[in-house]
Amino acid sequence: MNATAVIDIEKIRTQFPVLDQKVNGKPLIYFDNAATNQKPQRVIDALVNYYQSYNANIHRGIHTLAEKATKAYEDTRHSMQKFINAKHVEEIIFTRGVTESINLVASSYGRAFLKEGDEIIISGLEHHSNIVPWQIICEEKKAKLKVIPISEIGEIDLDEYRNLLSTKTKIVAVNHASNSLGTINPIKEIIRLAHEVGSVVLIDGAQAAAHLDIDVQDLNCDFYCISSHKMYGPTGAGILYGKKDLLEKMPPYMGGGEMIKDVTFAKTTYNDLHYKFEAGTPNIADVIALKEAIDFINSLGKEQIAEHENDLLAYAVEKLSLIAGVKLIGTSKEKVSVQSFIIDGIHPFDIGQMLDARGIAVRTGHHCTQPLMDRFGIEGTVRVSFSVYNTKAEIDELVDGVKRIVNFMKP
């Protein structure tokens, strides 16, 4: 699709069968895309086709079904390599998603290269999945975890980040975009500064993969993590990108089949990349279907997707800002299509339930970012997040619903 093409939203919506339903007697309006977005028919068909037509284990078999399954599985690896512009296909490691990818790096790289007194830096914007694994490895290795503070509008304080960096910094782990606030972080500068002190950098790309261009060579990140289900693909699949030289130095994360060359009771030798980090029978069907999600995004073009989603975000921010009692949380200039808000005197859970009664699906709570909620002195928020299949008419329904809730609940 060329840069001037216009997305046909109604045509796109027909590709998502889940949208064609009513919830509580109302047409479904799905604004929980940051948690997981819906799947186009081509992804669903790929899953069904694998199980119906060529269900077989991969890599080990020489029969026709095994070879067909292996090819389809590895085709996804090559597609993901191009999707993020990795230099080598072996740098694409299949995992269950971002959480497992981060844990893999924390466990394998952390255990191999961290020592007492070393420091790991994360930010105040992080999902629990990019906090807890580092706490675990810091406790084990007697290392120290430091946190970059964020501003009132939800942006990383780069000056404070510079002050935290030192020769003791061994790992910097930040998200590309915040799942709670939508903030797009200046990761290229974060990576550059970390490399100046000899640190490696891991980027949590869960909220970026469906929205932002990702070029790992241009970013020069050491690790990048992606979840399939946040980019129109199935759950339970994702990737860890790692620079080849780093992955080769890291010990295996799990032991079992496929990740070995030779096993004796005396000693085991490990397989080459990517096999070394993919022990056991993988999530074959969902990885195969992930390729269809990549192809779906490529068919629309990220520039067109971002233009539409940014338009929706601006429209929602404008409309919500005019409602008395509504306070927007996270107002960074550079954002993916995520907006959190609270309403004075009304608990987010109550708002979520009342919107659900109107068929509007939103997320409420702390969004697995409790430290971030603490930063703003709140228990949680209502989060609306938009995807390529959403419309301004749906946002109008949201705004009308919020207005009615305010009027109904006010003293």
Side-chain angles (χ1 to χ4, degrees), residues 110-164:
R111 287 189 175 130
F113 298 108
L114 283 179
K115 62 182 186 301
E116 184 174 351
D118 286 344
E119 295 176 353
I120 297 172
I121 294 177
I122 61 175
S123 86
L125 284 170
E126 302 311 313
H127 188 282
H128 296 165
S129 294
N130 204 26
I131 301 174
V132 179
W134 306 116
Q135 291 175 326
I136 292 171
I137 198 65
C138 280
E139 183 176 356
E140 179 180 325
K141 304 295 287 190
K142 297 182 179 179
K144 185 175 182 180
L145 187 67
K146 292 188 171 183
V147 182
I148 311 166
I150 63 169
S151 70
E152 284 295 325
I153 63 172
E155 293 181 342
I156 282 177
D157 188 327
L158 278 178
D159 289 333
E160 286 299 320
Y161 171 58
R162 291 185 183 94
N163 291 335
L164 290 175

Side-chain angles (χ1 to χ4, degrees), residues 107-335:
S107 179
S108 177
Y109 185 90
R111 287 189 175 130
F113 298 108
L114 283 179
K115 62 182 186 301
E116 184 174 351
D118 286 344
E119 295 176 353
I120 297 172
I121 294 177
I122 61 175
S123 86
L125 284 170
E126 302 311 313
H127 188 282
H128 296 165
S129 294
N130 204 26
I131 301 174
V132 179
W134 306 116
Q135 291 175 326
I136 292 171
I137 198 65
C138 280
E139 183 176 356
E140 179 180 325
K141 304 295 287 190
K142 297 182 179 179
K144 185 175 182 180
L145 187 67
K146 292 188 171 183
V147 182
I148 311 166
I150 63 169
S151 70
E152 284 295 325
I153 63 172
E155 293 181 342
I156 282 177
D157 188 327
L158 278 178
D159 289 333
E160 286 299 320
Y161 171 58
R162 291 185 183 94
N163 291 335
L164 290 175
L165 287 167
S166 73
T167 54
K168 292 182 179 180
T169 308
K170 302 304 177 186
I171 301 171
V172 174
V174 297
N175 58 47
H176 198 158
S178 165
N179 72 301
S180 287
L181 307 185
T183 306
I184 300 173
N185 289 317
I187 59 170
K188 192 168 184 179
E189 179 67 2
I190 288 170
I191 293 164
R192 185 188 69 80
L193 291 169
H195 285 169
E196 285 184 353
V197 298
S199 174
V200 300
V201 184
L202 176 144
I203 302 296
D204 169 358
Q207 295 297 329
H211 310 282
L212 306 175
D213 282 328
I214 301 167
D215 184 333
V216 293
Q217 292 190 69
D218 179 63
L219 291 171
N220 196 25
C221 56
D222 300 288
F223 304 101
Y224 197 101
C225 310
I226 290 176
S227 287
S228 162
H229 73 103
K230 295 182 190 288
M231 53 176 286
Y232 310 104
T235 56
I239 65 110
L240 167 68
Y241 158 81
K243 287 181 176 176
K244 187 177 179 181
D245 62 327
L246 288 176
L247 292 174
E248 287 177 336
K249 294 174 184 176
M250 290 161 54
Y253 175 53
M254 294 188 292
E258 202 68 46
M259 51 74 66
I260 59 91
K261 281 186 176 178
D262 294 291
V263 176
T264 69
F265 288 120
K267 182 176 177 58
T268 293
T269 56
Y270 304 127
N271 211 339
D272 300 326
L273 296 175
H274 45 80
Y275 300 102
K276 184 171 72 170
F277 293 106
E278 295 182 9
T281 298
N283 191 354
I284 302 168
D286 292 326
V287 168
I288 289 171
L290 171 56
K291 181 179 183 300
E292 291 298 325
I294 295 170
D295 291 346
F296 171 76
I297 292 172
N298 289 338
S299 72
L300 298 179
K302 282 194 179 178
E303 183 178 347
Q304 284 71 36
I305 292 173
E307 183 178 352
H308 174 66
E309 292 175 343
N310 290 341
D311 192 34
L312 292 177
L313 178 64
Y315 186 76
V317 167
E318 177 187 0
K319 296 294 185 181
L320 290 170
S321 298
L322 297 175
I323 304 173
V326 169
K327 180 181 180 181
L328 302 182
I329 306 296
T331 54
S332 172
K333 183 179 178 181
E334 298 294 326
K335 288 170 58 115

